[in-house]
Structure formats: C-alpha cells, structure tokens
Amino acid sequence: MPGAAVDRIANAAGPIGAALVLLLLAGCEDQQRAVPDPVADAAPPPGLCAFLTCDDGDPCTADACDPDVGCVHTPAPTVGCGPACVPVARPQGVVSPPGRSIGWRVLTPPGLVLRQTSRRIEIYEARAGAPIAPLGVLWPGTEVRDADWVDGRLHLAAGAAGLLIYDLTDPRAPRLIGRQPTADSALGVRVHDGLAYIADRDGGLRIYDVAEPAAIRAVGELDTDRQEIRIALDPARGRVALGAGSRVLLVDVTDPAAPIAGVDLIATLSDGPTGFVQPEGWLHIHSIGSSRLVDLDAPGGPAYGPRQRAGLLAPRRPEGIYSFDETTRLSLLDVSAVDRAAVVREWPYDDYAIGFAILDDPARAALTGVGHFTVFDLARDALAEPRVAFTHDGNVVDLARVGDRIYVADAAGGLRVVDVADPAAPTEMPAPHVAEFSVGRVAADDGHLVLHELNADLIVFDITDPDAVAEIDRIDFEDYISRPALGVADGHLWVAHARAIHRFALTAEGARPDAQIPWDRPVGDLVPLADPDWAALTTRDALVIVQRTADGLATVAELAWRADSADIARVGDRLYVAGGSGGLLAVDASDPAAPAVVDHWRGAAPRALVAHRERVVLIADDGLWVIGVGPAGFGAAHRLSTLGDPAALALGQDGSTVYLGGRDALVETARLGCE
C-alpha cells in the first residue's frame, strides 16, 4: 500500500484507530516476509479494504472501498434520495383489466388507437392490415374526464388535477411533460394551433397556450355562470361550443384572449356536445337515446336529426357520415340532403357504445363502450377482428406478496392468485374458490395465507406449494367481526378487532389458539415485530404495542397520535404508520416497550403503504408517493403521476417493483426508477 494512503487513513481514524490500522498492516507485511508461500506471493496483499466496513447506513449514498484511500461514499441515484433522482414508475404488466370500465372516447393518432376510460388511457397499435395490438396503459393517477391528441402529445382534462400533457413519442412509455391547474375542474379539452380550450365546470371556459408544455400560460377566459362539462371546437370558424346539461353555448374565440359569448342553444337532450362534424360546420349534440346536428351558420334554425337514436357520429368523410345508434348497428349515412338521411350501409352490433372513431387505416372503425373495445372492417359486413373484451369486474381490497406470488383479496372475485415471476407478464393462476363479494383483508408468510371471509370469519390456506394452494382450516368467532387487522409471521397469526386481540399458532393442520385479551377500540392495522412475541397495532388515536408473555397477551406501550385511518409496515426495528390526515410516522421500535417517534411527514394524506429499507411507497388521496428513508427519518418525497387508482399495494423483494390492485386492475406491476 502506498505510504500516503496509510497516512490519510491513519489521520482520519484518530490516534487509537491509526495505531490499530498500522499494526494490522504491519503484521500482515511481516508475516508475508517471514513465511514464503508461492500461492500467497502470487496474490496481491489484502490492502486496507480488508479491515474496513464502509456501510455508512445512508441509503442515499453508494458505499465502496478504494484500496488506496479507504471508504468512498458517493451520492446514489436511488429512488427518494433528493435531486440525484426524480422517481418515476414505469408500468411493466397488468393482469385482468376491468370489465365494467367505460370507454368514453377513442382517439386515432397515426398508427395508434387510444381508448380513454375514467382512470386510464389504453394504447393500442393499429398498423394497416394488421390486428389491433395492445402496447401499454397510461395511468395518470387521477380521474380522466376528456382527452385530445395533437402532434404527438396527449392532452387530458383531469378534473381537479387540471390539464395534463403527455409525450407519446414512445407509446410504451408515456412521459408527463406539462401540468396546469385550472380554476375549478377540467372536464373537457380540445387543442388547436398551440392553444388548449378547457370546459372548466364552474370556471367556465379557460384557454391556455400549450406550445411549450413545460411553461404553460393562461391566454383567456370566459365566466359563463354555468357548470360547463362538454366542449367542442370549430377552429376554421373560430368557435367553441360549451355544453351544460341540455344547453349549448356558442363562443367566439377568434381572439383567444377575449372570448365572446354568442348564441345559447337549448336542445331537448340530456348531454352536451361531443364534436363538430366537418367541414360543413355542424355541431353534433349527443345524448343517451338521440342526437342532433345543428347548422352553426344558422344556429337559430331547427336541429336536424339524421335518425332517431343516432348516438355517435364520426366527422364526415367522402362516403358520408358514420353513425352508431348505441345498441343495434353502425350505419353509413348519406346526408347530402339536409332534410333527410339515407342509410347506405349497416353493420349489426349488440352492445352499448359510447365512443367511436375512424382509424388512421380508413378501412376500419373503432368503437368503445362498457367493458369492450371493438374494431369494424368498413370494407365488409363484419368485425375486423375479435372484440377486445375485458374480464375483471372486481374491487381489490388487499394484497399480500410471498415470493413470486401475489395473493389478492378481490371483493367481487374472492381469492385470486397472480404469478409475477416475470413482472412484465403477470399471469393469473388457479386459486381455491371463495364466495364472491365476501372477502376482506389478507396476510401471509412463507407457509400460510389467512383471508378474512365474511361468512366464515377467517380461512387458513397452506401455500407451501404455491401451485397447489389448499384450504386447511377456518376460524369462526362467536360474534361477527368487521375488517379485522391481520398479521402472519414466524408461524403465528395475530388478529385484532373491536372486541379482542388474538394470537394463533399456525401448523400444517391449521390454526391453534394461543392467547387473547379483551379489546374495546376500533383497530386499523397490525404488524408482527422482529421478535415474534411482539406486535404493533394502530387505532385512530394511538400506536399500541402488544406482547405475548407467560401469562398471555398484554398491552405494553402506547404512543398517542390522531389519525383518520391507519396502515402500518415494518422494516427491521423501524415502523412506518400511515394515518390519513395525520400524515406518516417513522417510529423506532428497537425497544418495543418504549417506541419513539423518529420523524413525522405531512406532505399528503396516506391511507396504505409498504416499506423497504431505502424507501416507503404509499397510496394517498392525491396519488402514489415514494419517500426516501434513512437512519434520521424521511428524505425526499415525490408524487408519481403515471399509475392508476389503486386501493392496495405490495412491494417486491428488491424494493423497486411495486404491485398495485384496485378498481382499475387486478394486479399491475411497475418498476420504480429514476429519470
């Protein structure tokens, strides 16, 4: 070792540490000189790194040892660790998308089809002559009320979240590039020539310059004294139509900085406008059950209905207007005569439809509605390919991960099992039947799975062989229990509810009662501690530590705090408690009898969480958050906007893969990374 390096380490270690380092190094060198060894002589000396431990306990640094200078700690681009990393969640795979999701709108950018539902944008490849193929899903992390596509960018009216702009240059990895809050709630959006026109409910009409998505600026506004929920744009004539209930207001936007209210149309319809039929300048006003075409050059004249129940229309094409009447057929209409519409061709259909568009491939049309996405071949009297139908009509209540399996408590589907060995292609596996609409929480360890089932209280499964999950026992309590807190670890099951706290021993035969104590407070969640004789549970006003003693169960300590919900996770001796409006607590439980608060984060209202030694991932009212953690508490916090609306989550072994379940998906996998 160079002498300068030894001097640097000796000085850094202090007088005693320096002496020890120098003695150790000298001893090694003397031993090598005194006892010649061909093998040892051929290998390099151990160097300084053989005597140092370089882990500084900081998850935000990469720790290494340089043989010449000793320990080196460099900032690491780890999720949640300050400016070195801006976390993103990259969707990898999804199993069983929702069957009752409503497709509100179809967009057809070149080579793609985008299906907008209330929570996500489904992205499909639509190459001419090839079947429609799914490419990915965009989860904005908020409601999606309307969408428009212009020049490679997707503009979303996202309700209270305002206007969101995504770059879809790579359709498999949508990227958020712009965000603009609005005055109230963005419910409709149309974009033209760098301007976004927003139907902003109580905010009326809002106009923004979105040419530079990173620097969006307000251009104009119009207070209409109504709740505007729909918008349509006629850029050739400089007009916008705003819809509120059965009324339609025409607005002159020739000067976007000073929009002028014009004619207020009153139609006997129950919905607002959905689009202009070009190039004639007609406004298509659509409602469930009927539609009208209004000649905007004579807006005071009678509305023209091309046919009763013509619920959806596409912009006029050379061959005519394509109209869909919601439940029976797609029709091609000749509307060359204003006073009548002639049916040129029809395609039969048997489902409810809401959104319709002609694809970039002019021989096909895309239709979306409740739980389906269908493509018609306009050159033939048939579908272009089989309907893309979604099967999940559930509501995920809870998730538990053991190895490569995710065990899902699905309120509408019972117990479901998903193999996530390949996160990009999660696969549902066979699972024991559990009555639908009756499941609650789930907890598991390597050998046992426990599921709350309303009709039988608790069901115990053997999951030693994940390919052969088998029910082995049922635990029936004397009285009905609602949403008990469950914890499974080291062959024991902890159960807490509003009347008692129980501990069971889990064996190959089932669950054997071990101990219990009365309890008279609502329970949030429960987690076993590192010592299997201890557990922590949450209530609305405290974190409570329970111990299994020789005499049974006993509450040992309470840490008072106020919360409107309570979920809890543990990593080693550190507890993380999500308390809704009470924020997020980090608690040191190395001495379970004296838990101590380490840090308190109030950046959102968390309602569910999972934890890893480097980060906490939580579901809050405003989306998914990732927060760095270290010995001193919480680090940088970031909200992720690329996922859906989950109700439960689990974390992979490495802490970088997150599994989400809720109304939008049975299980979706996403990889946490850095931009």
Side-chain angles (χ1 to χ4, degrees):
M1 174 182 296
V6 175
D7 291 342
R8 285 195 295 271
I9 298 303
N11 291 335
I16 297 176
L20 289 173
V21 171
L22 293 173
L23 284 172
L24 285 169
L25 294 176
C28 289
E29 293 170 357
D30 289 342
Q31 187 176 19
Q32 287 177 335
R33 287 195 295 268
V35 184
D37 186 335
V39 176
D41 289 344
L48 183 61
C49 293
F51 310 101
L52 295 177
T53 300
C54 291
D55 184 0
D56 64 358
D58 185 351
C60 296
T61 61
D63 306 321
C65 185
D66 186 304
D68 290 334
V69 301
C71 292
V72 177
H73 309 287
T74 57
T78 302
V79 173
C81 290
C85 174
V86 176
V88 294
R90 299 183 176 92
Q92 290 187 291
V94 64
V95 62
S96 210
R100 300 298 294 176
S101 68
I102 297 177
W104 292 105
R105 184 167 165 81
V106 178
L107 301 175
T108 56
L112 298 174
V113 176
L114 308 181
R115 177 181 185 260
Q116 174 220 329
T117 75
S118 61
R119 288 289 179 179
R120 67 187 188 279
I121 302 292
E122 298 161 4
I123 305 170
Y124 298 87
E125 185 177 36
R127 291 182 293 123
I132 302 296
L135 286 179
V137 179
L138 166 61
W139 302 100
T142 183
E143 62 180 338
V144 180
R145 301 301 298 264
D146 197 12
D148 200 13
W149 169 278
V150 175
D151 298 331
R153 294 172 181 170
L154 181 63
H155 303 75
L156 302 182
L163 173 67
L164 305 179
I165 305 177
Y166 286 85
D167 181 351
L168 263 65
T169 303
D170 180 359
R172 293 178 176 84
R175 186 167 57 91
L176 181 65
I177 58 174
R179 181 194 300 270
Q180 176 62 46
T182 60
D184 186 29
S185 181
L187 303 183
V189 59
R190 292 295 179 269
V191 180
H192 178 73
D193 198 22
L195 297 177
Y197 300 84
I198 307 291
D200 196 37
R201 199 167 64 180
D202 287 337
L205 173 66
R206 300 281 160 161
I207 305 174
Y208 297 95
D209 183 338
V210 294
E212 295 293 335
I216 299 173
R217 64 181 184 86
V219 173
E221 63 185 68
L222 177 66
D223 184 359
T224 61
D225 295 324
R226 308 183 313 176
Q227 289 194 338
E228 306 299 351
I229 60 175
R230 294 284 188 272
I231 189 167
L233 175 65
D234 182 6
R237 293 169 171 79
R239 290 182 295 202
V240 162
L242 296 171
S246 62
R247 305 184 69 183
V248 178
L249 175 66
L250 298 184
V251 180
D252 184 341
V253 291
T254 306
D255 180 2
I260 302 172
V263 178
D264 195 348
L265 304 177
I266 300 179
T268 55
L269 299 171
S270 59
D271 205 350
T274 58
F276 283 95
V277 178
Q278 298 290 355
E280 289 80 7
W282 291 343
L283 174 65
H284 169 215
I285 308 174
H286 160 240
S287 73
I288 297 175
S290 64
S291 69
R292 294 289 186 273
L293 293 178
V294 178
D295 185 350
L296 294 179
D297 291 328
Y304 161 59
R307 60 181 299 173
Q308 190 66 19
R309 294 189 57 78
L312 302 166
L313 292 91
R316 180 166 182 168
R317 302 172 66 83
E319 61 271 27
I321 289 179
Y322 287 93
S323 167
F324 195 85
D325 62 1
E326 295 177 326
T327 57
T328 58
R329 56 195 170 274
L330 169 69
S331 302
L332 173 60
L333 305 177
D334 180 354
V335 292
S336 56
V338 177
D339 59 343
R340 62 182 177 84
V343 177
V344 178
R345 195 171 188 181
E346 290 188 332
W347 294 260
Y349 196 64
D350 61 357
D351 207 341
Y352 188 85
I354 297 176
F356 174 69
I358 306 297
L359 301 189
D360 186 50
D361 171 7
R364 293 187 292 183
L367 188 73
T368 183
V370 180
H372 71 87
F373 172 58
T374 304
V375 177
F376 284 91
D377 185 341
L378 300 179
R380 298 185 294 120
D381 296 329
L383 299 178
E385 52 252 350
R387 179 188 308 180
V388 179
F390 304 123
T391 59
H392 177 49
D393 185 18
N395 182 10
V396 173
V397 178
D398 201 4
L399 300 177
R401 183 192 65 83
V402 178
D404 291 331
R405 292 290 195 274
I406 301 291
Y407 298 92
V408 184
D410 182 6
L415 175 65
R416 303 175 75 169
V417 182
V418 177
D419 184 342
V420 292
D422 180 0
T427 305
E428 186 165 6
M429 309 296 289
H433 174 72
V434 177
E436 291 85 356
F437 305 106
S438 65
V439 299
R441 288 179 170 173
V442 64
D445 66 2
D446 290 340
H448 295 89
L449 173 80
V450 180
L451 175 70
H452 176 219
E453 201 265 342
L454 302 183
N455 297 321
D457 289 338
L458 298 177
I459 307 178
V460 182
F461 298 90
D462 183 343
I463 60 171
T464 306
D465 180 356
D467 294 324
V469 177
E471 179 182 330
I472 59 173
D473 200 1
R474 293 196 171 211
I475 304 173
D476 295 321
F477 296 95
E478 292 183 1
D479 299 317
Y480 171 79
I481 59 174
S482 174
R483 287 189 60 81
L486 306 177
V488 178
D490 300 303
H492 289 89
L493 164 66
W494 293 80
V495 183
H497 54 87
R499 289 185 296 278
I501 302 173
H502 309 259
R503 187 174 188 256
F504 296 84
L506 296 176
T507 68
E509 290 73 36
R512 175 177 54 81
D514 178 52
Q516 75 175 66
I517 55 172
W519 189 254
D520 61 357
R521 292 149 67 184
V523 174
D525 196 13
L526 179 148
V527 62
L529 300 187
D531 184 333
D533 287 334
W534 296 75
L537 64 90
T538 57
T539 72
R540 291 185 179 276
D541 56 9
L543 171 68
V544 181
I545 305 296
V546 182
Q547 182 186 14
R548 172 64 167 98
T549 69
D551 298 324
L553 296 181
T555 56
V556 177
E558 288 198 18
L559 188 64
W561 77 315
R562 299 294 300 176
D564 52 22
S565 65
D567 194 19
I568 188 170
R570 179 183 66 85
V571 178
D573 291 326
R574 183 67 59 86
L575 300 176
Y576 298 99
V577 186
S581 61
L584 177 67
L585 285 184
V587 178
D588 180 3
S590 55
D591 179 1
V597 174
V598 176
D599 202 356
H600 191 180
W601 181 78
R602 298 179 177 87
R607 44 191 169 88
L609 83 162
V610 288
H612 180 262
R613 63 184 179 84
E614 295 180 353
R615 66 191 62 92
V616 171
V617 183
L618 57 87
I619 299 171
D621 291 341
D622 60 349
L624 197 73
W625 287 77
V626 58
I627 307 170
V629 297
F634 299 116
H638 298 272
R639 188 173 74 89
L640 306 182
S641 60
T642 56
L643 301 175
D645 185 32
L649 73 170
L651 205 58
Q653 185 68 32
D654 63 356
S656 294
T657 302
V658 61
Y659 305 96
L660 301 158
R663 294 181 183 273
D664 290 318
L666 182 66
V667 170
E668 184 200 6
T669 65
R671 183 77 175 175
L672 298 177
C674 300
E675 276 192 339

